[in-house]
Amino acid sequence: MSVPLSLWATEVFGKQASAVRVGIGQALRNMQANAQAAQEQTDSRTNHTYGSARWQGQFERVWEELKDLPGAVPVKPFGFPFELMLVGRGLIYPFLYSKTKSDVRTARIPRESRLVQELFTFAPEPAHVQDAFDFDGFGEAGQVVEPRGGLATVPPETRLILVPFACNASELLDAHWGMAALGADRRLVWETVPEPLTLPDTVTFHGQRLRSIPKQPASPELELTSFDGGAEPTLTLSSRANVDQQRDVPPLTEAEPADDQTSEDDANH
């Protein structure tokens, strides 16, 4: 059953709102599948590989799913390795809020980084949050943080759209989206009700990705051979002339080949 779009989503994303919602859900499903595959390939006793692949995927898979939408623009924050997607007036920021299923309304931003400070200049004003920015990381005396890099080119009417999701190496648990102000102790104060995103069961792949070691070619022409597995050289036999025999000329044991019949490159082609 199709879930109707909220008014805020239509106002922020316009005609692309439905496609953005579907694309984000698909991106997170792909993120989880890629991260689990990376973890399986390493056969490690820790989840470090999963965590690294998941962190990378939460940005790159969103970019992958939304980049072809009309009006979609990738935005690269200063000093950040990945691009965030801007569609319409919505700047999308996905982040892991929990490794277990928990109430998203109590979610916190993972870190009080400079990037977070710059992103939340596009968030609602926390007017109803007392001393909202009176904590470490947000400057002295409520100092305003100026966006840098690609964020400096984002239109001022842009709204930050948060996409908190919960997952672990075993499963993708849930995901939501909405708008919120940043309160004390990194807590989110939701301006909109955080709405659940639909997470599809299937995974989509764009382009070619190595999922397993390719099988080696079975064609005899393409198989690598050992040094003694090539074609045998042609032997030319001839009898000695009577003049050579009479003059006691030593016999010629090897004839000069007319053309090379093997090459060092034969095994590579």
Side-chain angles (χ1 to χ4, degrees), residues 243-257:
V243 176
D244 290 343
Q245 294 181 22
Q246 295 173 2
R247 296 177 59 187
D248 198 23
V249 176
L252 181 65
T253 58
E254 294 185 8
E256 293 291 335

Side-chain angles (χ1 to χ4, degrees), residues 13-17 19-20 65-73 85-89:
F13 295 111
K15 295 180 180 180
Q16 307 298 331
V20 171
E65 291 296 325
L66 304 184
K67 63 182 176 66
D68 294 328
L69 292 181
V73 178
M85 291 306 297
L86 174 66
V87 184
R89 296 193 302 117

Side-chain angles (χ1 to χ4, degrees), residues 2-149:
S2 177
V3 180
L5 286 166
S6 298
L7 179 61
W8 69 262
T10 303
E11 291 177 346
V12 171
F13 295 111
K15 295 180 180 180
Q16 307 298 331
S18 180
V20 171
R21 182 173 65 178
V22 171
I24 294 175
Q26 185 66 66
L28 295 178
R29 174 58 65 194
N30 295 350
M31 169 206 74
Q32 177 72 4
N34 293 163
Q36 288 178 314
Q39 178 67 32
E40 182 179 354
Q41 288 294 321
T42 60
D43 193 24
S44 174
R45 290 181 294 175
T46 71
N47 290 331
H48 294 164
T49 302
Y50 167 83
S52 178
R54 187 270 307 158
W55 181 66
Q56 177 179 343
Q58 71 191 54
F59 303 108
E60 292 191 340
R61 300 290 80 80
V62 170
W63 170 85
E64 199 170 55
E65 291 296 325
L66 304 184
K67 63 182 176 66
D68 294 328
L69 292 181
V73 178
V75 177
K76 194 172 188 303
F78 178 82
F80 194 61
F82 308 111
E83 294 173 315
L84 305 179
M85 291 306 297
L86 174 66
V87 184
R89 296 193 302 117
L91 181 63
I92 300 166
Y93 181 60
F95 65 94
L96 176 72
Y97 81 94
S98 179
K99 295 181 181 180
T100 60
K101 196 171 182 63
S102 58
D103 190 350
V104 71
R105 292 172 298 179
T106 64
R108 296 184 181 184
I109 288 291
R111 295 180 60 239
E112 299 168 10
S113 64
R114 174 63 189 261
L115 172 62
V116 167
Q117 299 175 45
E118 295 179 17
L119 287 175
F120 273 85
T121 62
F122 302 101
E125 290 292 337
H128 56 296
V129 183
Q130 185 177 4
D131 298 327
F133 290 95
D134 187 17
F135 54 94
D136 293 340
F138 276 78
E140 297 178 1
Q143 181 181 355
V144 177
V145 175
E146 293 293 335
R148 301 169 298 168

Side-chain angles (χ1 to χ4, degrees), residues 163-229:
V163 183
F165 61 89
C167 70
N168 52 53
S170 298
E171 58 182 329
L172 178 62
L173 298 167
D174 64 34
H176 296 75
W177 72 341
M179 291 185 288
L182 188 58
D185 198 23
R186 309 193 318 273
R187 292 189 181 279
L188 297 174
V189 182
W190 292 96
E191 181 184 75
T192 65
V193 176
E195 299 178 6
L197 292 169
T198 300
L199 301 173
D201 295 328
T202 57
V203 178
T204 60
F205 292 95
H206 300 264
Q208 296 295 323
R209 297 186 192 164
L210 183 63
R211 296 181 232 176
S212 61
I213 300 176
K215 295 181 64 176
Q216 298 301 312
S219 172
E221 292 80 6
L222 298 179
E223 289 182 349
L224 300 179
T225 58
S226 61
F227 77 95
D228 59 347

